[in-house]
Amino acid sequence: MADRQLDSDVVVVGAGPTGLLLAGDLAAAGVRVTVLEKRGAESNLTRAFAVHARTLEQLDARGLADDLIATGTPLSSLRLFGRVRVELGDLPTRFPFVLITPQSNTERLLQERALKAGAVIRRGAEVVGLRQDTAGVRLDVREDGGTASYRAAYAVGTDGVHSTVRDLLGLPFPGTSVVDSVVLADARLEKAPEEVLTVGANEAGFAFVAPFGDGWYRVIAWDRHRSLPDAAPVDPAELTGLLRAVLGSDHGLHDIRWSSRFHSDERQVPTYRSGRVFLAGDAAHCHSPAGGQGMNTGLQDAANLGWKLAAAVQGWAPDALLDTYQSERHPVGKAVLRSSGTLIRVALAQSLPARLAGGVLTAAADRLGPLTRFGARAVSGLAVAYPPAGDAHPLVGRRIPDLRLAVDEPGGTPRLYEALRGGRAVLVSNDEQPYADQWAGRVVTAAPADPHGKLRDTVLLVRPDGYAAWAAVDPSRTEVRAALTALLGRPSQP
């Protein structure tokens, strides 16, 4: 069958943001990783413009956040559908805003990191077959006018809504279509909108306008009273008419360089793991663009899975570690479907009573600060937590903020997210005993900057993805060793 056979530890199918972050994490951990991308050239299809706070924290833990922020515009508040303004400035993070930047900028930085770390990216490589056994996965690939066979210990499908990997596994993708005949276009505007990110909805439909930052704008619009198939061409007059009807102005739209139609579904695969094959990002879940959570959720899937796969490849992962990807991320995907679905249904409500109910809801949200604060934490990703096992410390399973750390020497890491940049767990403790020496290469130790602060008597073990794996007040050495073993496997030294 194959003209040639290539071996990797992990093969990632799909070179979008999710696949590129995952590949970079694996390569940085010393894992041999190959990314297969069906497209022969990098895509200019940017659907995501919002990078939320939790995603920026994950990028900060990889040294990329500041570079990405330089490409876009931070917004400390968002106005949704003309009524609700969600305030983000009080979010408990170094990044109390949503960053508006085209998806292509995120992809570029993630690709540069992955390649620098040693990942191999093969474009024009179409997966046409998949088989797995107890030892690994084989992917048959059509590329360069011939065929190739890729063998790996594990494979991950990050190949989007129409995932070939998911189809080859025979996994269902249940759900429904939320909205169809949505128009996409890239165009210039004679007059920039007052809001950097403009979103509106009324009885005519909805519209969205976001800047690329180079004079071009992405325009998304939907006509409540007209539905055409995805293949139907886009009439410029249709687009300008919708903008005037929904936003009150077409902002002098002209020079459309690209346009298309698509339909938006709400779907989720029942299981994110099938043997040695995993699904992440849009291959595992898709939903409406309301709230801008799609790319962000996929990137956080990758952050959750990457260190676990690296541990499995390197042979020190506890037996059940890979299964926690399903138990932790599937509920998050389900919650995102629910929240984005609620937002889009309010925006698309057709009946007068439903629209009035939506108006009451949004007006109430304007008045009730705690409601919008809760919504901000949820949409930003900061509220995501993983259920702890048993009678655990309250911190376990929760995102740990960017703690200030004590620096003992020049060039040390004064922040937790800087300490996480090596892809290892971090043990935060005031105790100077060398608990973690036996797990060298898997964990780093640090003391809190304030030895008398909230963590003065607490030992905290932070996972590579920034969530608390374990915490205890005044634990014994035996308890700390047990926690390290549970997360990091058997020690490499006796």
Side-chain angles (χ1 to χ4, degrees):
M1 156 70 183
D3 297 329
R4 52 202 174 109
Q5 180 166 322
L6 302 100
D7 293 329
S8 299
D9 296 318
V10 179
V11 169
V12 176
V13 182
T18 301
L20 291 171
L21 187 143
L22 178 62
D25 283 2
L26 291 168
V31 173
R32 296 178 303 160
V33 57
T34 300
V35 181
L36 304 175
E37 172 52 59
K38 180 179 178 180
R39 298 170 297 180
E42 295 179 34
S43 173
N44 67 346
L45 179 56
T46 287
R47 287 186 180 172
F49 279 84
V51 184
H52 287 298
R54 182 58 184 149
T55 301
L56 288 169
E57 289 183 341
Q58 294 286 5
L59 294 174
D60 187 27
R62 291 155 179 81
L64 301 178
D66 290 340
D67 288 341
L68 186 62
I69 291 170
T71 71
T73 303
L75 298 182
S76 59
S77 66
L78 285 174
R79 182 179 292 280
L80 300 179
F81 307 123
R83 281 179 171 258
V84 179
R85 182 170 292 278
V86 179
E87 299 296 338
L88 306 172
D90 292 332
L91 289 173
T93 173
R94 288 185 67 235
F95 308 105
F97 51 80
V98 59
L99 178 70
I100 304 304
T101 189
Q103 177 180 317
S104 54
N105 288 329
T106 305
E107 288 191 7
R108 174 179 55 81
L109 290 173
L110 290 171
Q111 177 172 287
E112 290 173 357
R113 172 180 178 255
L115 291 172
K116 185 177 180 180
V120 174
I121 301 176
R122 298 192 63 85
R123 295 189 178 273
E126 180 183 6
V127 174
V128 295
L130 183 155
R131 282 156 285 178
Q132 61 175 314
D133 52 38
T134 57
V137 183
R138 172 175 162 168
L139 295 160
D140 298 323
V141 179
R142 187 182 296 123
E143 62 176 339
D144 298 333
T147 56
S149 175
Y150 287 80
R151 181 79 181 178
Y154 300 95
V156 186
T158 62
D159 48 342
V161 174
H162 304 292
S163 171
T164 297
V165 172
R166 187 185 63 239
D167 290 345
L168 291 171
L169 290 171
L171 293 176
F173 201 36
T176 59
S177 179
V178 182
V179 57
D180 58 9
S181 196
V182 180
V183 176
L184 296 176
D186 291 349
R188 291 190 181 276
L189 304 180
E190 290 181 1
K191 182 181 179 182
E194 292 182 4
E195 302 275 351
V196 174
L197 190 67
T198 303
V199 183
N202 59 19
E203 65 280 356
F206 74 73
F208 167 96
V209 180
F212 279 102
D214 59 358
W216 292 90
Y217 288 80
R218 166 58 48 83
V219 180
I220 303 177
W222 173 74
D223 189 334
R224 186 187 304 279
H225 307 293
R226 188 180 188 215
S227 179
L228 295 175
D230 288 356
V234 176
D235 183 349
E238 172 189 9
L239 192 56
T240 55
L242 266 173
L243 291 181
R244 287 194 295 269
V246 176
L247 302 179
S249 171
D250 63 15
H251 298 283
L253 183 145
H254 64 98
D255 288 349
I256 297 176
R257 65 180 179 183
W258 173 85
S259 62
S260 182
R261 295 180 193 273
F262 77 101
H263 63 276
S264 178
D265 290 352
E266 284 181 348
R267 300 183 183 277
Q268 186 179 28
V269 71
T271 176
Y272 287 11
R273 180 183 186 183
S274 177
R276 288 178 167 267
V277 184
F278 299 80
L279 297 173
D282 288 351
H285 47 77
C286 67
H287 45 82
S288 85
Q293 298 174 82
M295 180 185 72
N296 292 270
T297 306
L299 289 171
Q300 291 162 46
D301 287 346
N304 182 286
L305 179 60
W307 66 274
K308 298 173 182 178
L309 272 179
V313 168
Q314 292 163 354
W316 56 262
D319 291 340
L321 183 62
L322 287 177
D323 289 334
T324 65
Y325 173 63
Q326 163 74 15
S327 63
E328 292 180 348
R329 293 305 299 174
H330 191 276
V332 174
K334 186 176 181 179
V336 170
L337 259 71
R338 186 167 56 247
S339 63
S340 63
T342 298
L343 284 173
I344 198 68
R345 283 171 175 80
V346 168
L348 303 187
Q350 296 187 41
S351 68
L352 178 60
R355 289 203 300 274
L356 289 174
V360 170
L361 175 65
T362 54
D366 265 342
R367 292 194 300 270
L368 299 177
L371 176 62
T372 53
R373 284 195 293 273
F374 176 81
R377 286 178 61 89
V379 171
S380 69
L382 298 183
V384 170
Y386 302 132
D391 186 18
H393 188 282
L395 288 176
V396 174
R398 297 187 175 277
R399 154 197 166 267
I400 300 301
D402 195 13
L403 301 174
R404 302 296 299 181
L405 303 176
V407 179
D408 295 329
E409 56 187 31
T413 55
R415 297 190 290 112
L416 173 62
Y417 286 16
E418 290 176 325
L420 289 170
R421 288 179 183 176
R424 294 172 288 178
V426 178
L427 184 67
V428 182
S429 172
N430 276 314
D431 195 331
E432 296 181 359
Q433 294 188 59
Y435 290 123
D437 287 357
Q438 295 168 303
W439 286 267
R442 304 179 212 169
V443 62
V444 296
T445 59
D450 181 2
H452 306 292
K454 292 182 179 180
L455 294 179
R456 61 184 181 278
D457 299 319
T458 302
V459 177
L460 173 65
L461 181 58
V462 183
R463 304 177 351 174
D465 58 357
Y467 291 85
W470 175 83
V473 177
D474 289 330
S476 67
R477 185 180 182 89
T478 299
E479 289 174 320
V480 177
R481 284 178 54 84
L484 289 166
T485 301
L487 180 68
L488 305 174
R490 290 177 173 271
S492 55
Q493 302 173 22

